[in-house]
Amino acid sequence: MTDVLEQLGALIDTPEFNPLSAKRVFRLAMSDYGARVFMPSLVRSLRMLAPGIELEVSQGSREAMMADVFDGETDMAFGVFPDKVPEALRMYTLFVESFACLADKNTLPNSGTLDKSSWLARPHILVAMQSGANNEIERALSGTGLSRHVVMTLPHWGIANQLVAGTDLILTAARRSFDMTDSNSQVQIFEPPFPIESFDFKLLWHQRREGDAAHNWLRQLIISVLNSELNEKS
C-alpha cells in the first residue's frame, strides 16, 4: 500500500485537482463481491490522500448499473459487463476472475473434492440478482447437456458463504469471494469438477467524465489500489 501512495503522490499537487483539499461525493455501483475485493483498501487510501471525498455505494443488476452510468446517476460501476456496451461508455478490465466451490468439510470425501456426478447430485446455491440460466456455471453445464439443482438463489455473496456450513449445499462462485475463508473453518474450498469459463471484472464510466480531473484521479487510485492488492496475493 505504501508503494501505491507514493505512486499517487505526484497527482496530489496537480493544478486541476488537489485531493487533500477536495470536497466531493462520488456515486459507485457494485455488488457486495466487488465491495469485498477492493473497498477496504480504497477507503484506507482515501482517508489518507483525500479525506474530503465521500462515497455513496449502491447495488443493482448489471443492466441497471449500466443504465445509471449512462444516465449520469452513477459515476462508476464495477462488475461483469458485456464486451459491447453503448459507444459513450468506457470500460477497463480490473482483473480476470475464476470459479471455485465451497462445501461443508464433513460432507466431502477424504480427497476434499467432488467428481462431476457427486457435484451434480448435491443441492446448490446460486448467487445472482435474478434466477435463470444466464450465468457462467449454467452455460458450462448446458454445453454438455447437464443441469444442476439450485435450491436457493441469493443476491449477496457474503451471506451465501455462511449458509454452507452444517448443510449439504454446494456454492460455486467467484474465487475471490472466498478469500476471507479461514483454513480452520468448517467449510472446504475445492476446484469445480468441470471447466467453467473465467470472467473479466470491469470498471465502467461515461466518456463525459473523462474531462473531470477528480474522476480521473479516483479511477487511477482504484486501479492502483487493486493492482497492489493483487500483487500482494500473487
Side-chain angles (χ1 to χ4, degrees):
M1 184 59 64
T2 301
D3 291 341
V4 173
L5 299 182
E6 289 177 352
Q7 293 168 12
L8 288 164
L11 296 178
I12 293 177
D13 296 324
T14 58
E16 297 86 1
F17 176 66
N18 185 337
L20 286 173
S21 61
K23 303 292 183 182
R24 180 79 176 264
V25 177
F26 283 98
R27 296 161 296 178
L28 311 182
M30 67 191 77
S31 69
D32 60 333
Y33 162 75
R36 170 178 288 189
V37 169
F38 70 89
M39 281 296 288
S41 295
L42 174 61
V43 170
R44 286 192 294 269
S45 296
L46 282 175
R47 297 313 302 160
M48 288 184 284
L49 292 173
I53 286 182
E54 301 175 7
L55 301 179
E56 294 180 357
V57 180
S58 62
Q59 181 176 358
S61 67
R62 67 188 67 179
E63 293 79 13
M65 290 193 293
M66 287 176 57
D68 283 346
V69 170
F70 189 86
D71 294 338
E73 296 298 321
T74 299
D75 294 301
M76 302 177 205
F78 304 81
V80 184
F81 302 107
D83 291 333
K84 292 185 179 180
V85 296
E87 186 176 348
L89 298 183
R90 300 289 181 261
M91 286 193 301
Y92 179 88
T93 298
L94 294 168
F95 58 84
V96 179
E97 178 64 295
S98 60
F99 285 87
C101 299
L102 192 74
D104 188 296
K105 290 179 179 178
N106 296 323
T107 69
L108 296 174
N110 291 335
S111 64
T113 188
L114 294 173
D115 59 26
K116 184 188 288 187
S117 60
S118 299
W119 187 93
L120 288 169
R122 298 275 288 270
H124 293 260
I125 300 174
L126 169 65
V127 180
M129 291 299 296
Q130 57 188 18
S131 60
N134 186 27
N135 64 74
E136 293 84 357
I137 303 165
E138 266 58 50
R139 288 198 294 270
L141 287 171
S142 64
T144 57
L146 300 171
S147 63
R148 61 176 175 161
H149 183 203
V150 174
V151 299
M152 183 175 298
T153 301
L154 296 167
H156 308 299
W157 297 79
I159 188 62
N161 296 357
Q162 300 175 39
L163 299 178
V164 169
T167 75
D168 59 347
L169 294 167
I170 302 291
L171 172 62
T172 304
R175 190 175 300 272
R176 287 180 177 84
S177 67
F178 301 144
D179 278 353
M180 298 176 68
T181 302
D182 190 333
S183 60
N184 296 321
S185 71
Q186 189 178 339
V187 295
Q188 173 75 38
I189 302 170
F190 60 97
E191 292 296 317
F194 57 92
I196 305 175
E197 186 177 356
S198 59
F199 63 87
D200 293 342
F201 187 79
K202 299 176 181 178
L203 164 59
L204 184 76
W205 69 96
H206 198 285
Q207 67 175 5
R208 74 169 73 91
R209 304 293 189 187
E210 295 187 335
D212 184 333
H215 195 283
N216 293 336
W217 183 88
L218 182 58
R219 288 202 313 272
Q220 290 306 312
L221 176 63
I222 291 168
I223 292 168
S224 298
V225 164
L226 191 50
N227 285 341
S228 178
E229 285 279 309
L230 299 179
N231 289 337
E232 287 178 4
K233 294 175 181 179
S234 62

